[in-house]
Amino acid sequence: MRADFLLAAAAFASCVAARQVVIVVGGNITTDIGSVFTPQSATANAGDVVVFNFTQGNHTATQSTFASPCVPAHITDSTINGFDSAFRDTVNGSAVTQLTVPISDNTTTIWFFDFNTCSIGGVGGINVNSSSNQTLDGFVRNAERLNGTNDSTTSSLSSQSRSATPTSPTSAPSQTATSSANQAVVMGLYSVIPAFVVLLAASL
């Protein structure tokens, strides 16, 4: 009985210790683009749950990396199973939704962004290490410098090119591969036709 009581007490204590850290999505971005996430930088302990509360506009909360602020984390690093809310249209505040992100490791910074405003600084971080050279200000500068892309030479990401429902990151490359394969087959046929004509002429 005593052992059962101690286990129950420990479970209760862990539940009490865990807390919700709320980040409001959709602040007044007219005066401060960083306020699309409020707070822009949050601190959470292991076992806490970060709650993205979508209250205004049509935004996303999508995990990324410091080097590529406006690109989903799983695209630049396949080992990261990052969160992605997809677009959450609040319909002028009448359709408030939430995305919950459990925190299992509070020693690693989690970077995130909004697809609609990332290129002008709509980004944020959880457990940003102030003693590291990867600061929130640096993350914002990266997003602005890369203009919402993976590098300065690629085209800008925009809400028009992204559906409201998350899609498989492999879908676009597979289409490209199929197109390339079809092109290769066509080019191969063009190269075979002249040789066939020569052989046919020689046999007449």
Side-chain angles (χ1 to χ4, degrees):
M1 288 293 293
R2 181 176 176 78
D4 291 340
F5 172 78
L6 291 175
L7 287 174
F12 176 77
S14 65
C15 291
V16 171
R19 63 192 177 102
Q20 285 190 343
V21 179
V22 178
I23 298 176
V24 177
V25 186
N28 183 7
I29 61 176
T30 303
T31 57
D32 178 14
I33 197 64
S35 67
V36 67
F37 296 111
T38 305
Q40 193 173 19
S41 178
T43 301
N45 297 320
D48 289 349
V49 176
V50 173
V51 179
F52 289 92
N53 193 31
F54 296 81
T55 60
Q56 292 291 332
N58 187 14
H59 301 283
T60 77
T62 307
Q63 188 172 345
S64 63
T65 61
F66 184 84
S68 301
C70 304
V71 180
H74 69 268
I75 292 178
T76 56
D77 186 344
S78 60
T79 66
I80 300 176
N81 183 23
F83 59 84
D84 183 2
S85 68
F87 280 104
R88 300 287 182 95
D89 189 353
T90 62
V91 193
N92 295 323
S94 63
V96 176
T97 60
Q98 294 182 334
L99 171 71
T100 58
V101 179
I103 303 300
S104 58
D105 177 11
N106 63 336
T107 63
T108 301
T109 300
I110 298 175
W111 302 106
F112 56 86
F113 70 99
D114 164 40
F115 261 97
N116 269 341
T117 59
C118 185
S119 63
I120 50 177
V123 298
I126 303 169
N127 293 328
V128 179
N129 186 350
S130 58
S131 62
S132 168
N133 58 1
Q134 294 188 354
T135 63
L136 180 60
D137 287 342
F139 189 54
V140 172
R141 286 195 299 271
N142 274 351
E144 295 171 343
R145 177 177 60 86
L146 298 176
N147 194 30
T149 67
N150 194 23
D151 57 57
S152 57
T153 61
T154 56
S155 60
S156 177
L157 291 174
S158 66
S159 61
Q160 287 78 14
S161 63
R162 178 177 167 81
S163 64
T165 304
T167 56
S168 170
T170 59
S171 59
S174 65
Q175 291 171 359
T176 303
T178 302
S179 176
S180 299
N182 290 340
Q183 185 178 7
V185 170
V186 171
M187 293 300 293
L189 287 175
Y190 278 128
S191 64
V192 169
I193 289 172
F196 176 75
V197 171
V198 172
L199 291 173
L200 182 61
S203 65
L204 294 177

